[in-house]
Amino acid sequence: FKDLNAMLGHVKGDEQLIEVCEISNNELGALDVPCRVGGKWSVLLVGEDLEASKDIADRIIGSFKELKSPGSSITNLSIALSMYHPGEGEKGLIERVDSALLEARRLGPNSCRIV
């Protein structure tokens, strides 16, 4: 949202973030937890089935691409999906997901990466 905030202001950036949250909430189940980590990354914790999570991520990206708000042409979504490995620790999981997010961003706008 950095470019969006710079071009249209923080109010429009906040509105875009709310739209992304609404899209996510429409696709998530009762046990899924959307959350934001830091200023750049959004993290979505979804169940235990990566393929089902990929379907959800694809639907979120598809809905986001259909937005017609001013900010939707400036921003895009990068989603990383992973499972927690027993004994890995929080730091290890966050590092793996962070790397996957960077890879998703390299793949291009509105992409998802599974690690």
Side-chain angles (χ1 to χ4, degrees), residues 54-76:
K54 175 74 165 81
D55 290 341
I56 292 168
D58 288 342
R59 287 195 309 267
I60 289 170
I61 289 171
S63 295
F64 179 77
K65 287 163 59 172
E66 293 176 9
L67 287 178
K68 301 298 180 211
S69 61
S72 61
S73 64
I74 299 168
T75 57
N76 64 72

Side-chain angles (χ1 to χ4, degrees), residues 3 18 28 30 34 39 41 45 57 65 71 74 79-81 83-84 89-91 95 97 99 101 109:
D3 292 339
I18 290 167
L28 299 176
W41 308 117
L45 305 176
K65 287 163 59 172
I74 299 168
I79 299 177
L81 303 172
M83 299 284 294
Y84 175 77
E90 292 174 19
K91 185 177 179 182
E95 287 174 355
V97 172
S99 293
L101 280 169

Side-chain angles (χ1 to χ4, degrees), residues 61 76-79 101-112:
I61 289 171
N76 64 72
L77 298 178
S78 298
I79 299 177
L101 280 169
L102 291 172
E103 178 63 23
R105 291 180 77 190
R106 281 192 284 272
L107 290 173
N110 301 314
S111 59
C112 179

